[in-house]
Amino acid sequence: MNRYEQVIRWAAFFIGIAIMAFGIALTIKAELGIAPWDVLHIGLMLKFGLTVGSWSIIVGFFILTVSSLLVKRLPKLGAFLNMLFVGIFIDLFLYLPIIVTPAFFVGKLIMLIVGVIVCGMGMGIYISSDHGAGPRDSLMLALTELTKFKVQHVRLAMEVIVLCIGWLLGGPVFIGTVIVTVTIGPVVGYTLPFFRNMIKKMIVRGARNENFNKRAIRPHDYDGVSEKLR
């Protein structure tokens, strides 16, 4: 992987995480119910204090530890950075004064749907960087590897368990929980190949430009120009 490709992929990774966190913040602010993992994070916040982002980081660290023990190998650097920066960005966006909960149901519903789309875009971008899955996806893959069950079955079981725990802790479960759970997969299914193709094109274009610049002017070319000017 050359330097240009590294820059493109890491930029996509961090931009995608920031966009995904913004989408998560919008779904939370809509106050119509949220994704299972966010139900857990808010439930923990309501029960024990701290912030939503802090619990996202703490839970993510715990999950990465469990995943590493299950598969007996360390996760990629991207998984650690995902764990850290998603939590930081969520708290940052939640405390922005310009993001306020709409007064009416229609406004809340629009904010929720926009949040799902934005979150799906962010996931498509950061996953396209190929710098490692996030903590929750790492656990899903580890359990799939160990149990030999299908990914969708493992993911469903995880989210049901997490949702129940979050609900028992007081996390918000409502119609938005169903909407997010049902729609986020199709959104990522569209955005992932789109952004993966875009990133590949950017890398190929950058490599061509870099090679062109290297061939454009060579040291001995100046000698030829000098000879012609004599």
Side-chain angles (χ1 to χ4, degrees):
M1 187 183 297
N2 58 43
R3 185 179 301 176
Y4 182 83
E5 182 176 353
Q6 288 181 347
V7 170
I8 291 295
R9 292 194 180 278
W10 279 113
F13 178 81
F14 285 108
I15 291 172
I17 283 179
I19 293 174
M20 179 178 67
F22 180 61
I24 293 172
L26 289 177
T27 63
I28 293 173
K29 282 288 189 177
E31 296 185 354
L32 287 179
I34 46 181
W37 285 102
D38 297 317
V39 172
L40 175 63
H41 300 152
I42 291 183
L44 289 167
M45 178 192 71
L46 295 173
K47 193 73 173 179
F48 303 107
L50 300 179
T51 64
V52 178
S54 297
W55 280 112
S56 176
I57 294 172
I58 293 169
V59 172
F61 181 80
F62 174 77
I63 290 172
L64 278 182
T65 303
V66 172
S67 301
S68 299
L69 293 174
L70 288 175
V71 298
K72 298 180 181 180
R73 62 173 178 267
L74 292 175
K76 291 184 179 180
L77 174 62
F80 285 101
L81 295 177
N82 178 298
M83 170 198 72
L84 180 63
F85 282 97
V86 168
I88 292 173
F89 282 128
I90 287 175
D91 279 349
L92 174 65
F93 292 129
L94 284 177
Y95 285 99
L96 285 178
I98 59 173
I99 304 179
V100 295
T101 303
F104 301 101
F105 176 81
V106 174
K108 293 179 179 180
L109 184 61
I110 292 173
M111 176 178 275
L112 179 76
I113 293 172
V114 171
V116 171
I117 295 172
V118 171
C119 183
M121 288 178 58
M123 291 177 69
I125 295 172
Y126 108 77
I127 294 173
S128 298
S129 69
D130 290 330
H131 278 318
R136 292 136 191 92
D137 290 332
S138 296
L139 178 60
M140 177 188 68
L141 295 174
L143 291 173
T144 300
E145 182 179 331
L146 290 175
T147 63
K148 308 302 179 184
F149 291 146
K150 291 183 178 180
V151 172
Q152 57 265 38
H153 295 160
V154 173
R155 185 181 185 90
L156 178 61
M158 284 174 54
E159 293 193 343
V160 168
I161 293 171
V162 166
L163 180 62
C164 291
I165 295 173
W167 178 70
L168 290 173
L169 290 171
V173 178
F174 193 48
I175 186 174
T177 305
V178 178
I179 293 174
V180 174
T181 304
V182 171
T183 59
I184 191 66
V187 174
V188 176
Y190 175 79
T191 61
L192 180 56
F194 176 81
F195 286 111
R196 182 163 280 166
N197 187 47
M198 178 184 292
I199 290 173
K200 286 182 179 179
K201 287 182 178 180
M202 292 174 65
I203 291 171
V204 170
R205 189 181 300 116
R208 288 175 179 172
N209 291 338
E210 186 176 2
N211 291 333
F212 176 80
N213 291 334
K214 287 180 179 179
R215 293 194 301 266
I217 300 176
R218 300 173 183 174
H220 60 76
D221 290 339
Y222 290 108
D223 297 336
V225 173
S226 301
E227 289 293 334
K228 291 179 182 180
L229 294 175
R230 288 177 185 174

